[in-house]
């Protein structure tokens, strides 16, 4: 079983079947073409997108439906080709694809997610892409938490 020494998770054993290939990497990280997705019970619903090329690179994601239960991905013909998917019939979330959104955390600001450019994973062939449509009705900085969900510290 392959092993990775991750900067954030220590030594990780993973199966080759757990690896997702990103044929073109992701924007600004085009050389990062292989990732595993890690879930930790204590940080649910966060999903960590750990690079296998660079053990110090790990993105924080959440399933898009956590941020927007009515989310509908907008995949281009190029996205379908990179994922080796057919647009007809449309791929089904959960069985064919998984859509994740990158989380941005910054000091003195609430966390946001990028709904305009989701990470889309083909669950059948383990290919992934960051889908970036030319225009989107979704926000690059969508609030992750509704203000009603925030509990003040006492």
């Amino acid at each position: 079983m392959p092993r990775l020494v991750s900067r954030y998770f220590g030594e990780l054993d993973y199966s080759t079947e757990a690896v997702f290939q990103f044929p073109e990497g992701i924007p600004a990280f085009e050389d990062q073409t292989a990732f595993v997705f890690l879930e930790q019970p204590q940080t649910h619903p966060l999903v960590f997108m750990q690079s296998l090329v660079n053990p110090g690179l790990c993105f924080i994601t959440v399933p898009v439906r956590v941020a927007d239960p009515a989310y509908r991905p907008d995949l281009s013909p190029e996205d379908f080709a990179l994922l080796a998917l057919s647009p007809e019939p449309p791929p089904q979330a959960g069985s064919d694809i998984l859509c994740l959104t990158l989380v941005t955390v910054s000091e003195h600001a609430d966390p946001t997610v990028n709904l305009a450019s989701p990470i889309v994973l083909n669950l059948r062939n383990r290919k992934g892409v960051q889908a970036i449509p030319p225009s989107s009705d979704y926000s690059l900085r969508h609030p992750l938490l509704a203000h009603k969900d925030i509990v003040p510290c006492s």
Side-chain angles (χ1 to χ4, degrees), residues 9 22 26 35-40 43-50 58-67 98-105 111-115 117-121 129-130 144:
F9 299 101
F22 283 68
I26 58 175
F35 292 89
V36 291
F37 291 82
L38 308 169
E39 296 182 73
Q40 305 281 314
T43 58
H44 180 78
L46 299 179
V47 178
F48 300 93
M49 183 177 169
Q50 174 65 59
C58 184
F59 297 100
I60 302 170
T61 72
V62 294
V64 293
R65 301 262 162 103
V66 169
L98 174 63
C99 292
L100 300 169
T101 184
L102 294 168
V103 177
T104 300
V105 180
T112 61
V113 293
N114 177 353
L115 290 178
S117 305
I119 301 294
V120 182
L121 304 174
V129 67
Q130 185 171 11
L144 180 56

Side-chain angles (χ1 to χ4, degrees), residues 70-100:
Y71 186 84
R72 311 279 297 178
D74 181 16
L75 301 178
S76 70
E78 294 80 15
D79 295 331
F80 279 108
L82 286 170
L83 292 167
L85 283 172
S86 172
E88 295 300 327
Q92 297 300 304
S95 59
D96 299 321
I97 62 171
L98 174 63
C99 292
L100 300 169

